[in-house]
Amino acid sequence: MKTSSVTVRFADRQDMDRIIEIERSWVHLSHWSLDAYRRLLNEGSLTTSLVAESEGLDPGARPSGRIVGFVIFHATESTAEIYNIAVERGHARLGVGSALMRSVIERARDDGSRKLTLEVRKSNTGAIRFYQAFGFAITGERPRYYSNPVEDAYLMERDL
Ligand SMILES: CC(C)(COP(=O)(O)OP(=O)(O)OC[C@H]1O[C@@H](n2cnc3c(N)ncnc32)[C@H](O)[C@@H]1OP(=O)(O)O)[C@@H](O)C(=O)NCCC(=O)NCCS
């Protein structure tokens, strides 16, 4: 689970504060409590939390090994679903999200999932473009799926 500048590894309890910090920096993301993240981390083999650590993406500015992104997904024998994915603002468009997505695809395939799904705010055009770059297509809509602010979701899917 490694690219030239980012390493992806399993998250552990000590990473939760950093995951929440990254998640909170994006106002439009659904915000989960520390307890919710801890529950997901301990849910067993179906839910997986991964973090991406930079390896000198910004040399001199910050130490290597800093968490710059995370993804949480749920995989069953038929379908895998991405619950949340986010990259630190200052590290967007550097391939961190791609490294996380490649790891999800690899692991979900290993788990036997045939399909990868997710929901995304209709207004989140950056994330939609990102998912489309990974072969996701819009396959449905979920009216008023999000709160704060209320907004519809697109359902996106790709085969694995
Ligand atoms: C969506 C997100 C995870 C993408 O991560 P990232 O590290 O910036 O993505 P990458 O650098 O790996 O981008 C890979 C490709 O996806 C596409 N892409 C990514 N972000 C994009 C954007 N804002 N606009 C258009 N295309 C985008 C591009 O094709 C990009 O390749 P390129 O940079 O060579 O053009 C990141 O922008 C993020 O954390 N957004 C806020 C949180 C969020 O909205 N999460 C989704 C919740 S459903």
Side-chain angles (χ1 to χ4, degrees):
M1 293 197 287
K2 189 172 181 178
T3 70
S4 57
S5 54
V6 175
T7 300
V8 178
R9 64 163 173 82
F10 290 107
D12 57 38
R13 289 179 78 85
Q14 286 94 307
D15 301 326
M16 291 298 114
D17 287 344
R18 181 70 184 127
I19 285 174
I20 288 171
E21 194 175 45
I22 292 170
E23 181 236 74
R24 295 285 150 91
S25 74
W26 296 97
V27 283
H28 62 272
L29 277 188
S30 306
H31 297 317
W32 300 348
S33 66
L34 183 58
D35 272 356
Y37 277 109
R38 282 193 178 135
R39 269 199 304 278
L40 285 170
L41 194 67
N42 294 315
E43 210 179 56
S45 58
L46 291 182
T47 304
T48 304
S49 305
L50 304 173
V51 290
E53 287 181 326
S54 74
E55 292 176 14
L57 277 175
D58 48 354
R62 292 182 176 122
S64 259
R66 187 165 183 275
I67 293 173
V68 290
F70 72 93
V71 63
I72 298 174
F73 67 100
H74 182 92
T76 67
E77 277 178 19
S78 58
T79 305
E81 181 179 358
I82 294 179
Y83 286 168
N84 220 350
I85 180 168
V87 170
E88 184 179 60
R89 271 180 189 280
H91 283 85
R93 295 304 280 273
L94 292 173
V96 178
S98 295
L100 288 164
M101 183 62 85
R102 281 194 296 271
S103 293
V104 171
I105 291 169
E106 190 182 299
R107 293 197 57 81
R109 277 188 184 136
D110 286 350
D111 288 339
S113 301
R114 302 270 179 83
K115 198 167 72 170
L116 187 55
T117 72
L118 56 89
E119 277 98 12
V120 59
R121 280 185 187 271
K122 279 188 175 180
S123 64
N124 195 352
T125 48
I128 292 167
R129 296 270 180 282
F130 170 73
Y131 298 135
Q132 285 170 332
F134 272 90
F136 285 84
I138 294 169
T139 55
E141 296 185 16
R142 301 206 192 287
R144 302 176 66 83
Y145 183 79
Y146 292 103
S147 53
N148 295 321
V150 172
E151 189 178 347
D152 297 352
Y154 282 132
L155 173 64
M156 298 187 77
E157 299 182 357
R158 60 156 280 173
D159 291 333
L160 289 173

